Amino acid sequence: MESLLFAPGFVSVFDNTSPSKESRWLASFFCGIIMCKIVYDITATASLLCFKGYGNLSNAKKVEWNNRGFSTFHAIVVAFASLYLLLLSDLFNEDYVELIINRTSAVSETIFGISIGYFFTDLAMIIWQYPALGGLEYVLHHGLSIFSIILALISGQAQIYILMVLFSECTTPFVNLRWYLDVAGQKNSTLYIVNGIALFFGWLIARVILFIYLFIHMAIHFDQVKQVFPLGFYSLLTVSPVLSAMNAFWFWKIAKGLIKTLSKARHTQ
């Protein structure tokens, strides 16, 4: 495909593409979809064998139960992968000559492909079961996520910021565990309270403070950010604040829920 030319100082969105890379991207995308299907089925089978209450759930609840199984699995995989790439590997070492904004690797691109497959599958299920699995805010969240990851994947740019956002998925297991405990009638259990506290602090760190750091990092490296191809550049300036605002809104709801839970537990004692 012939590269699209932009103004000086910008690169083409297609400069990072090649037949071998495109094949790897497609393979990782389909791996993400297959992963969702496999974990969905494993969750259903394991839950039927290990949890007596699972068989009594409605079909809609079973679908959501299994759906949360593969969302938890995806969150754990991408959170650890993002943490490794951001902190443990030398991919974004400040001492390197190459611009941070242009750094990419086979591992990051594979993770992006898997995540696109996951978000695509989850979005399809949300639309199919709408609004049982989530309302318009989830459709918006997943749509923006797919859009942003695809741009970073095909351009090879701004991947450090996509990895920061993907790391924030580490809060998903706590969200799902709270839902599982609620469905199982364990809202008054100690585990529910402890998980709620962990969710509060996890969300504060991974989805509030981390996003503040992301904006500070963008400001410090704005000379590099300006070199991102136009659509990617303006997406960084718009999508990130939208996701941050959504995270802040959900954090407010989590805080309200935690206060209610702690207050109820105090009165019960």
Side-chain angles (χ1 to χ4, degrees), residues 13 37 42 61 80 117 119 148 179 210 220 243-244 253 257:
V13 65
K37 171 59 177 172
I42 291 176
K61 286 292 184 183
F80 275 107
F119 281 116
S148 301
W179 183 87
L210 179 59
I220 294 174
L243 292 178
S244 181
K253 295 182 68 173

Side-chain angles (χ1 to χ4, degrees), residues 122-232:
D122 201 37
L123 179 59
M125 290 193 66
I126 289 173
I127 295 173
W128 173 47
Q129 295 285 327
Y130 190 85
L133 297 180
L136 287 176
E137 68 273 19
Y138 288 95
V139 175
L140 176 63
H141 174 272
H142 282 33
L144 291 176
S145 297
I146 293 171
F147 173 74
S148 301
I149 297 172
I150 288 176
L151 289 184
L153 180 62
I154 64 176
S155 69
Q157 293 190 303
Q159 294 195 2
I160 184 173
Y161 301 123
I162 299 299
L163 289 169
M164 288 184 190
V165 175
L166 284 178
F167 175 74
S168 69
E169 287 291 307
C170 67
T171 59
T172 298
F174 300 108
V175 174
N176 289 340
L177 179 57
R178 183 175 67 170
W179 183 87
Y180 284 133
L181 292 172
D182 185 10
V183 172
Q186 299 295 314
K187 289 190 69 171
N188 296 322
S189 66
T190 301
L191 179 58
Y192 186 88
I193 297 174
V194 171
N195 180 73
I197 295 173
L199 173 59
F200 174 84
F201 286 105
W203 199 282
L204 175 64
I205 294 171
R207 291 187 182 257
V208 177
I209 296 177
L210 179 59
F211 269 74
I212 294 174
Y213 173 77
L214 184 152
F215 295 133
I216 294 174
H217 190 281
M218 285 178 57
I220 294 174
H221 297 84
F222 198 67
D223 58 324
Q224 296 188 36
V225 173
K226 289 188 295 185
Q227 297 187 45
V228 175
F229 70 99
L231 181 58

Side-chain angles (χ1 to χ4, degrees), residues 68-146:
R68 289 178 181 270
F70 72 69
S71 73
T72 298
F73 185 81
H74 166 264
I76 293 172
V77 171
V78 299
F80 275 107
S82 298
L83 183 66
Y84 167 76
L85 291 168
L86 289 168
L87 299 181
L88 302 181
S89 75
D90 58 358
L91 180 59
F92 301 108
N93 191 317
E94 293 276 2
D95 296 330
Y96 289 177
V97 176
E98 185 181 8
L99 298 180
I100 288 180
I101 207 72
N102 291 333
R103 296 183 194 177
T104 181
S105 72
V107 176
S108 65
E109 292 179 353
T110 299
I111 291 299
F112 289 172
I114 291 173
S115 290
I116 294 170
Y118 158 73
F119 281 116
F120 179 83
T121 303
D122 201 37
L123 179 59
M125 290 193 66
I126 289 173
I127 295 173
W128 173 47
Q129 295 285 327
Y130 190 85
L133 297 180
L136 287 176
E137 68 273 19
Y138 288 95
V139 175
L140 176 63
H141 174 272
H142 282 33
L144 291 176
S145 297
I146 293 171

